Amino acid sequence: MGMAKNKKLCFKCDEEKITYNCEGCAKKFCLMDLNEHRQVLTSELHQITNEYNEFKQRINEQKRNPHNHSLINQINQWEIESIEIIHQKAQEYREILIKSSETCINDIEMKFKNLNEQIKQIHQENEFNEIDLNYLRNQLIEITEELNNPLKIPIKEDLQSFIDAIPIISSKKSKVNKWKQNAITVAGGNGIGQALYQLTWSKGIFIDKNKNVFIADIGNHRIVTWKHNAKEGQIIAGGNKQGYRMDQLNFPTDVIVDQQSHAIIIADQGNRRVIQWLNQTQKIVIKNIDCHGLAMDKHGFLYVSDHNKNVVRRWKMGKYNNKGIVVAGGNGRGNQLNQLNGPTFIFVDKDQSIYVSDRNNDRVIKWRKDAKEGRIVAGGNGKGANLNQLSSPQGVIVDDFGQIYVAEYSNHRIMRWCEGKEEGEIVVGGNGEGNQSNQLNRPHGLSFDDEGNLYVADWLNYRIQKFEILL
């Protein structure tokens, strides 16, 4: 009777028997079913042990053969596909380089022919000095360097994008600079007047390496310079009332500084002359010219735009007693590619190409050295405010990447054009006529400093604005 009281239902056979608890699952089994349950557990232990041994074997195998990995196969496939992409890209850029090289060699050959013609001319005229010889020698050195390294193209070493594409990065790849839209006034800005802290209709400007601003203060018949962060300017030429004496100026429109001699060269438009000031000593270098814009190339040649004769001429440094060489226009007033109509400001690049603000044709036209006609590089689609138009262009400058910047007198904005593009873009201004820091009023002269900050002669606001570059 006592034994029966100890009987319980077996979890497995569901019969009333003497049962025993399993501590693992807390269930009751009769002796027979308990043994079977233990065998199941033993079997599971053996399975786990086998799995453990297999895992240990895989670890040992991986240690012995680290390349035998599932991801390795994916990497191997990636390698095969990437090599094929590299082959394709390499062939693509070989073709590009061959074409670029041909173009570059042709340009070098043209420069050599031009230099050869100059040498022949010097031999024929039998009139030369050390300046001429230095010029010829420097020209030959330049084209020799171009021939030795005609393209100057490095390979971009960007590991993340290297396989997707191996881009060939030219040293002339355009950099798209941007400027703060609110300018700082660096000269004038105190209303119209003749005090040293005022300007009257500033036109051409020049920025030296110290960020000093040279200004053609046309309404005050003087050239003033504002040193960096100065509160007022200093008269460096003219300022003795309007007149035609050597110490006077008459509506000066532009000013440049010869970086070698430090002479100040002025377009004295009202007196129809280009005059040089050096240490308060004046010298007329060109007479009887309706001068407007000035430029000087790296060889010291002086370029002057004549807004009445619709021509740009070049003079050799120190030899101003002739009529100069026509380098743009000179075929009467008109809108053909070999003509100009009211040229104002000019810019000369390192290849001696001339960019001319052709005001009355509402365009900027580029004349390559010794070209017979120009090429429109900005505007030329009639007067207007659309992005493919200009309206009375004034100041023009070109950056190291060949991008052209134009001051639009009538649209109160500064435009940037890339040669070959159908339209330009507004870089500063363009917010209507006004005197706020983000506005301009009839802008004229333009210049960069060596940091890339943009300076604008803000004509009817009687100030010079500096738009700081965003780095």
Side-chain angles (χ1 to χ4, degrees):
M1 295 293 292
M3 293 286 293
K5 290 182 181 179
N6 293 329
K7 293 182 179 180
K8 302 288 183 182
L9 286 176
C10 173
F11 175 78
K12 182 70 184 280
C13 65
D14 199 26
E15 293 181 6
E16 236 185 34
K17 294 182 179 181
I18 296 174
T19 58
Y20 303 91
N21 287 331
C22 174
E23 294 183 1
C25 62
K27 294 174 182 176
K28 299 180 183 299
F29 296 93
C30 65
L31 183 59
M32 183 179 297
D33 289 333
L34 177 63
N35 291 332
E36 184 178 345
H37 180 62
R38 292 292 298 175
Q39 289 175 359
V40 170
L41 293 179
T42 302
S43 177
E44 290 182 1
L45 175 62
H46 289 160
Q47 181 66 29
I48 291 173
T49 302
N50 291 336
E51 290 177 357
Y52 169 81
N53 291 331
E54 288 177 4
F55 184 78
K56 184 177 180 180
Q57 184 177 357
R58 289 180 60 189
I59 290 176
N60 293 333
E61 185 179 347
Q62 286 291 333
K63 290 172 66 176
R64 290 192 302 268
N65 301 297
H67 295 287
N68 187 16
H69 193 284
S70 60
L71 289 178
I72 293 294
N73 294 329
Q74 296 181 38
I75 293 172
N76 291 340
Q77 185 61 34
W78 170 81
E79 179 183 22
I80 294 170
E81 294 174 355
S82 298
I83 289 173
E84 180 59 30
I85 292 173
I86 290 172
H87 285 317
Q88 293 173 0
K89 289 293 180 182
Q91 183 58 32
E92 177 184 342
Y93 285 114
R94 283 190 195 99
E95 295 173 0
I96 292 174
L97 288 174
I98 289 170
K99 292 180 181 178
S100 299
S101 180
E102 290 174 352
T103 301
C104 189
I105 293 299
N106 289 337
D107 288 344
I108 293 171
E109 187 177 22
M110 181 63 69
K111 291 179 181 179
F112 176 75
K113 288 180 179 179
N114 291 336
L115 182 60
N116 191 41
E117 290 298 321
Q118 293 179 53
I119 293 173
K120 287 181 180 179
Q121 184 177 354
I122 288 175
H123 275 294
Q124 290 173 359
E125 295 176 354
N126 197 26
E127 182 181 350
F128 59 92
N129 55 31
E130 290 85 355
I131 295 174
D132 299 301
L133 297 179
N134 285 333
Y135 167 72
L136 295 175
R137 189 177 294 110
N138 289 333
Q139 286 290 91
L140 185 58
I141 291 172
E142 284 187 15
I143 62 176
T144 301
E145 289 178 354
E146 287 189 45
L147 185 62
N148 291 337
N149 190 12
L151 296 177
K152 297 181 181 178
I153 296 177
I155 299 295
K156 181 180 178 182
E157 297 181 358
D158 182 353
L159 296 180
Q160 290 185 341
S161 63
F162 186 71
I163 297 303
D164 295 331
I166 304 177
I168 304 297
I169 305 299
S170 169
S171 59
K172 292 185 177 180
K173 183 178 179 182
S174 296
K175 177 182 177 182
V176 182
N177 287 330
K178 293 184 178 181
W179 292 266
K180 294 180 181 179
Q181 295 301 297
N182 293 296
I184 300 171
T185 300
V186 295
N190 299 301
I192 188 172
Q194 60 183 357
L196 290 178
Y197 56 85
Q198 294 177 305
L199 298 171
T200 300
W201 306 321
S202 53
K203 225 168 168 26
I205 55 176
F206 181 92
I207 315 298
D208 69 12
K209 62 182 179 181
N210 297 317
K211 297 184 179 62
N212 299 318
V213 186
F214 295 77
I215 307 164
D217 190 9
I218 183 171
N220 287 321
H221 313 288
R222 67 189 184 187
I223 305 298
V224 293
T225 181
W226 287 59
K227 294 188 181 299
H228 186 46
N229 292 331
K231 299 299 182 183
E232 62 179 32
Q234 175 185 353
I235 300 171
I236 56 173
N240 299 305
K241 297 184 179 180
Q242 180 182 5
Y244 56 86
R245 294 195 318 258
M246 290 293 286
D247 66 339
Q248 293 178 309
L249 297 173
N250 187 0
F251 292 108
T253 54
D254 205 2
V255 57
I256 59 174
V257 179
D258 185 340
Q259 301 283 46
Q260 294 183 347
S261 68
H262 304 292
I264 301 161
I265 302 173
I266 304 161
D268 190 12
Q269 188 180 90
N271 286 321
R272 301 187 66 245
R273 67 189 182 187
V274 176
I275 189 167
Q276 172 184 291
W277 284 57
L278 180 60
N279 299 324
Q280 294 302 312
T281 300
Q282 303 86 32
K283 176 184 177 182
I284 298 173
V285 294
I286 305 172
K287 298 179 180 179
N288 302 319
I289 181 170
D290 294 301
C291 50
H292 192 290
L294 301 174
M296 182 172 284
D297 67 22
K298 62 182 180 181
H299 305 295
F301 285 89
L302 178 65
Y303 299 74
V304 185
S305 65
D306 187 320
H307 68 92
N308 189 37
K309 292 186 173 63
N310 300 291
V311 66
V312 179
R313 295 179 183 271
R314 181 182 70 208
W315 277 264
K316 197 172 188 178
M317 184 171 60
K319 294 185 178 180
Y320 301 111
N321 56 354
N322 54 34
K323 293 183 179 179
I325 298 173
V326 175
V327 292
N331 298 295
R333 178 180 285 108
N335 61 5
Q336 301 301 308
L337 291 179
N338 67 343
Q339 295 178 306
L340 299 171
N341 188 354
T344 55
F345 291 92
I346 56 178
F347 181 90
V348 182
D349 67 16
K350 64 179 182 180
D351 296 322
Q352 294 180 300
S353 293
I354 302 100
Y355 297 77
V356 185
S357 259
D358 195 10
R359 179 185 58 199
N360 296 332
N361 282 325
D362 301 297
R363 67 188 185 184
V364 173
I365 191 163
K366 175 184 177 180
W367 290 61
R368 297 191 67 175
K369 184 180 178 183
D370 301 324
K372 300 301 180 184
E373 63 179 29
R375 176 185 178 187
I376 299 171
V377 293
N381 297 299
K383 184 186 292 290
N386 294 324
L387 292 180
N388 69 337
Q389 295 178 304
L390 295 174
S391 184
S392 300
Q394 292 288 334
V396 58
I397 50 176
V398 181
D399 66 18
D400 292 338
F401 305 103
Q403 298 171 124
I404 303 134
Y405 298 78
V406 189
E408 278 196 86
Y409 178 85
S410 299
N411 287 327
H412 318 290
R413 66 190 186 187
I414 310 302
M415 296 284 289
R416 171 169 54 203
W417 290 67
C418 296
E419 187 172 345
K421 298 293 185 181
E422 295 297 325
E423 61 182 33
E425 61 177 326
I426 302 170
V427 291
V428 297
N431 299 304
E433 174 185 339
N435 61 5
Q436 300 301 308
S437 61
N438 68 339
Q439 292 180 305
L440 299 170
N441 193 348
R442 312 291 179 182
H444 276 70
L446 291 179
S447 188
F448 286 124
D449 64 22
D450 56 4
E451 293 179 354
N453 300 307
L454 178 62
Y455 295 73
V456 183
D458 197 6
W459 173 264
L460 285 184
N461 282 324
Y462 318 110
R463 65 188 183 184
I464 307 300
Q465 296 292 83
K466 174 184 176 182
F467 293 88
E468 295 182 315
I469 192 168
L470 292 170
L471 301 176

